[in-house]
Amino acid sequence: MEKPRQVVRKFLARPQHEGVGAVVRRSIGRFELRYFDPFLVLDEFSVSAPAGFPDHPHRGFETVTYMLEGAVTHEDFEGHRGTIKAGDVQWMTAGRGIVHSEMPAGPGTSKGLQLWVNLSSANKMVEPGYQEILSKDIACTSAEGVTVRVIAGNAMGVRSPVRTRTPTLYLDFTVRPRAAAVRQPVDASWNAFAYVLEGEGVFGAERCAPVGAHHLLLLGQGDGLEVWNKSADKTLRFLLVAGEPIGEPVAQLGPFVMNTEEEIDMTVDDFERYANGFEKARHWKSQAMVALGVE
Ligand code: FJE
Ligand code: FE
């Protein structure tokens, strides 16, 4: 590594209401940070029944749901259904259109992260699809007190099987107290951020002040990241995420993300008229909504 990236901006993600009765800490996608190319949203969510994210559409990007605690059951309008459990990841390509529900499963609180990765104009209308990786199948390795789970891309000699249409690196690091420094290469042309999940970390340079949970750190130019856990007794856990910037205009209306306002108008039309990928929404309602007796 020749030039470690430094922290250029820091945001504390405070809780806000989203979906129906759910709480999210939104870092990317809020007013002060509308878009960090190619990332549209980063939500750290916390939800317990009957709250959740009932039937809603997506078009033009991918959602990456990574569970930390509990579980989320998803169902879509094509009959694809499953439960994402702690440690599992669901990499969903909404492409031309998905309508689905995402609801907590079982008792207690379900917690996780949802990242929205934009798609280039060439990929916005691709067929929807899923990549679902169980916790036990996530590439993972440890050395000198540092453990990394490789959700996308590669780190410390291990590679994720996930196919990313927008080139993305997604790593979950756990750093024991007094562990060796984390030194992770990141492509110099990509945008990169870190998000602290627990404990405190020193990011970028050893003299920097430690940063605690729920903070998003935007990283500046460089070819990698160095991180230290200087705490005597607390484990540090953080995500390192990077992506190749798409460099195209973004037109967004909630869960529809296209390049122009005209394409957004066409998307609203398609959704309202059950066309161009939304055909199956006409006669569909999630079992979660049926169970709640919603008309
Ligand atoms: C939403 C559009 C959405 N953050 N974190 C509009 F897609 C959503 C939505 C989510 C979501 C779902 C999960 Cl499982 C986790 C999330 C937004 O489904 F809430 C609004 N208002
Ligand atoms: Fe969704």
Side-chain angles (χ1 to χ4, degrees):
M1 204 189 303
E2 283 178 11
K3 187 181 184 244
R5 290 176 183 246
Q6 300 300 314
V7 174
V8 294
R9 282 174 86 186
K10 182 174 103 174
F11 297 89
L12 172 62
R14 291 197 180 79
Q16 65 183 61
H17 296 279
E18 262 302 339
V20 177
V23 170
V24 305
R25 292 177 179 267
R26 179 161 296 171
S27 44
I28 300 171
R30 66 193 212 181
F31 176 77
E32 304 92 312
L33 184 58
R34 270 270 134 250
Y35 184 48
F36 186 55
D37 194 3
F39 305 111
L40 294 152
V41 166
L42 179 66
D43 280 352
E44 182 184 357
F45 63 90
S46 178
V47 55
S48 36
F53 303 93
D55 310 11
H56 62 276
H58 294 276
R59 174 182 276 182
F61 59 99
E62 303 188 298
T63 65
V64 182
T65 306
Y66 182 38
M67 292 305 301
L68 300 175
E69 275 178 51
V72 159
T73 293
H74 67 94
E75 319 170 39
D76 81 5
F77 66 163
E78 301 225 88
H80 184 89
R81 189 187 159 85
T83 298
I84 317 166
K85 301 198 174 76
D88 298 349
V89 60
Q90 181 200 58
W91 200 291
M92 182 187 90
T93 305
R96 65 207 296 256
I98 281 214
V99 181
H100 71 168
S101 78
E102 297 155 288
M103 304 298 278
T109 306
S110 298
K111 294 184 180 180
L113 294 140
Q114 191 169 89
L115 177 70
W116 293 10
V117 184
N118 203 3
L119 288 167
S120 69
S121 53
N123 283 315
K124 283 192 177 294
M125 295 296 279
V126 295
E127 280 298 307
Y130 295 87
Q131 299 176 79
E132 281 155 333
I133 303 106
L134 297 177
S135 184
K136 67 173 176 62
D137 298 325
I138 288 180
C140 184
T141 188
S142 296
E144 296 180 79
V146 177
T147 301
V148 62
R149 307 186 86 228
V150 183
I151 311 299
N154 61 293
M156 289 165 61
V158 297
R159 174 170 288 279
S160 159
V162 168
R163 172 185 172 207
T164 55
R165 284 176 178 74
T166 303
T168 304
L169 175 71
Y170 190 144
L171 307 174
D172 171 8
F173 282 98
T174 301
V175 187
R176 283 213 306 264
R178 285 183 286 263
V182 174
R183 284 205 174 76
Q184 174 61 43
V186 178
D187 193 304
S189 63
W190 291 14
N191 285 331
F193 67 84
Y195 187 82
V196 183
L197 293 173
E198 61 181 78
E200 288 190 336
V202 171
F203 293 82
E206 247 188 305
R207 61 183 152 73
C208 296
V211 177
H214 317 301
H215 282 91
L216 178 91
L217 305 173
L218 296 191
L219 304 173
Q221 302 240 324
D223 58 359
L225 177 66
E226 290 184 302
V227 184
W228 296 263
N229 181 3
K230 304 238 167 193
S231 159
D233 52 2
K234 278 185 293 172
T235 294
L236 164 67
R237 187 172 180 193
F238 71 95
L239 306 179
L240 171 60
V241 178
E244 183 174 59
I246 294 170
E248 293 176 1
V250 174
Q252 178 168 3
L253 181 68
F256 302 137
V257 183
M258 304 301 286
N259 295 111
T260 65
E261 289 306 322
E262 193 186 358
E263 288 167 348
I264 289 291
D265 292 345
M266 281 162 30
T267 299
V268 170
D269 249 45
D270 287 345
F271 181 61
E272 285 175 351
R273 297 169 351 154
Y274 307 107
N276 295 315
F278 291 114
E279 289 80 357
K280 289 190 173 147
R282 189 189 290 270
H283 301 293
W284 180 80
K285 189 158 71 170
S286 67
Q287 288 175 37
M289 293 282 265
V290 173
L292 288 169
V294 178
E295 267 314 303

